[in-house]
Amino acid sequence: MAMTEQDHEIVEKITRVLPKMTELQKTKLLASAQTLVMIFDQSASEGEEEARPKDDASKPESA
């Protein structure tokens, strides 16, 4: 997925502010970013599952 203009603006703002942030603020920012990545990864994997043919869902898993 390509970055949008808004994505680039966010990165630029973070780059400008990062040197002025305290260690606690940096830690909180990193935790938020990691949470977003996990959400995006989960959403992407759910989208892949929805794109798969539904035939797999009808087969018993014990077979």
Side-chain angles (χ1 to χ4, degrees):
M1 173 187 292
M3 288 180 59
T4 65
E5 181 65 29
Q6 186 177 13
D7 295 334
H8 286 287
E9 290 174 9
I10 292 169
V11 171
E12 288 174 17
K13 288 178 184 178
I14 291 172
T15 303
R16 282 195 308 265
V17 174
L18 198 58
K20 302 173 188 173
M21 295 175 77
T22 66
E23 288 303 311
L24 180 59
Q25 289 172 323
K26 290 177 185 178
T27 301
K28 288 180 178 181
L29 179 62
L30 179 60
S32 297
Q34 289 171 333
T35 300
L36 285 173
V37 168
M38 290 186 331
I39 291 169
F40 293 146
D41 286 346
Q42 182 180 4
S43 295
S45 66
E46 287 174 359
E48 289 173 5
E49 289 175 7
E50 291 175 4
R52 289 185 191 151
K54 298 298 179 186
D55 295 342
D56 294 342
S58 63
K59 294 179 184 175
E61 292 184 17
S62 60

